[in-house]
Amino acid sequence: MKISSAESVIMEALWRKTPLTSEAIIAEVGEPNGWTEGTVKQLISRLLKKKAIAAQPDGRRYLYSPLLARRDYVQAESQGLLDRLFDGRLAPLVTQFSEGGKLSDEDVAELKALVERISK
Amino acid sequence: MKISSAESVIMEALWRKTPLTSEAIIAEVGEPNGWTEGTVKQLISRLLKKKAIAAQPDGRRYLYSPLLARRDYVQAESQGLLDRLFDGRLAPLVTQFSEGGKLSDEDVAELKALVERISK
DNA sequence: CTCGATCGATGACGTTTGTCAACAATGGCG
DNA sequence: CGCCATTGTTGACAAACGTCATCGATCGAG
């Protein structure tokens, strides 16, 4: 099942720290996003329905944990973008940022080191 | 205005070849996506409303052209993904693909050459 | 035991998206 | 000149999304 943009904010909170109660999630993402308690609860419910997170009983409340690994999510999202926009190739994406002047010197240095290491 | 996933297929067709009549667009994207003529027409209308494309009269029909440059679209989408998932940094994205075993030798070679050139 | 606070479940509602079909205008063919 | 085909405009409708409030169960305090 597909995870929506608002839902992914909840996922990110759970990936940062797991498990969390709904109260903690609300505290974590409510304020920054201007969401009421009801909104966050609804997002949690939808994530449960989508089997993206699990709820384990803890007294009278639940502790929520991700069922979907962040790595897998990120991998799928990235691959999707690459396929849709760059014909599945990574180099053109890097070129895009480079030409857009979006690469800091540090970015370039990091990339350089990274590529060196990979190609060893 | 945001361009939806289905709409972007129309955009891609127009970026490939511009301008196109609706008939040509339908021929281009209808079949591969299993869309009827009505569906494609609706997508064209919405893109017009979103000012993502323009229509110039040509006899009794229109010729459609993108108003949004592919480069800008791709840049925005890529930046968005990077910000959302990689804290705005490019190197971690490359790492992600590398660790996922998603990089072919050719990819690595390309990247290497690219980084060399950029860092000169 | 009773009452109030808390928590999850659910209903609600407007907007966007995906998908089509129906209709109206219009131009060309016979 | 009248009819048909083509093209754009609109209406439709279900599903997903963003957002929020209400309701019912339940647990703990008094």
Side-chain angles (χ1 to χ4, degrees):
Chain A
M1 201 80 78
K2 195 78 183 68
I3 290 174
S4 82
S5 162
E7 287 159 4
S8 78
V9 174
I10 311 289
M11 295 303 293
E12 288 290 349
L14 286 175
W15 281 323
R16 255 190 316 272
K17 187 157 186 303
T18 297
L20 291 179
T21 64
S22 67
E23 190 194 2
I25 298 179
I26 292 167
E28 189 81 14
V29 308
E31 178 65 33
N33 294 88
W35 289 338
T36 70
E37 171 188 327
T39 299
V40 178
K41 284 183 183 178
Q42 177 64 283
L43 292 174
I44 292 174
S45 291
R46 289 183 182 164
L47 284 170
L48 277 171
K49 188 158 308 166
K50 291 184 181 183
K51 304 262 203 271
I53 66 178
Q56 70 180 118
D58 173 61
R60 49 184 272 71
R61 42 173 85 187
Y62 283 123
L63 288 180
Y64 299 97
S65 323
L67 284 181
L68 175 63
R70 183 169 200 274
R71 188 168 309 276
D72 292 344
Y73 173 74
V74 167
Q75 174 68 44
E77 291 284 308
S78 306
Q79 188 70 56
L81 181 108
L82 224 61
D83 290 346
R84 278 194 307 115
L85 302 181
F86 298 99
D87 197 31
R89 315 200 49 84
L90 188 53
L93 186 156
V94 178
T95 302
Q96 165 83 23
F97 280 100
S98 165
E99 291 181 354
K102 296 291 185 182
L103 289 187
S104 66
D105 288 348
E106 194 193 346
D107 284 327
V108 176
E110 258 182 311
L111 274 182
K112 193 176 161 111
L114 185 54
V115 172
E116 284 300 331
R117 189 153 50 74
I118 294 174
S119 66
K120 71 111 201 18
Chain B
M1 200 82 79
K2 193 79 182 69
I3 288 173
S4 83
S5 162
E7 287 159 3
S8 79
V9 174
I10 310 289
M11 295 303 292
E12 288 291 349
L14 286 175
W15 281 323
R16 254 190 317 273
K17 187 157 187 301
T18 298
L20 291 178
T21 64
S22 69
E23 190 194 2
I25 297 178
I26 292 167
E28 190 80 15
V29 308
E31 178 66 32
N33 293 88
W35 289 338
T36 70
E37 170 189 329
T39 299
V40 178
K41 285 181 183 178
Q42 176 64 284
L43 292 174
I44 292 175
S45 291
R46 289 180 182 167
L47 284 170
L48 277 171
K49 188 160 307 168
K50 292 183 180 182
K51 304 262 203 269
I53 65 178
Q56 70 180 118
D58 173 61
R60 48 183 276 73
R61 43 172 84 185
Y62 283 121
L63 289 181
Y64 299 97
S65 322
L67 283 181
L68 174 64
R70 184 169 199 275
R71 188 168 307 276
D72 291 346
Y73 174 73
V74 168
Q75 174 68 43
E77 291 285 307
S78 307
Q79 188 70 58
L81 180 106
L82 224 61
D83 290 346
R84 276 194 309 116
L85 302 180
F86 297 98
D87 197 31
R89 315 201 43 86
L90 189 52
L93 186 156
V94 177
T95 302
Q96 164 84 23
F97 279 100
S98 165
E99 290 181 354
K102 297 292 185 184
L103 289 187
S104 66
D105 289 347
E106 194 192 345
D107 284 328
V108 176
E110 260 182 311
L111 276 182
K112 192 175 161 114
L114 185 54
V115 172
E116 283 301 330
R117 189 153 51 74
I118 294 174
S119 66
K120 73 119 197 14

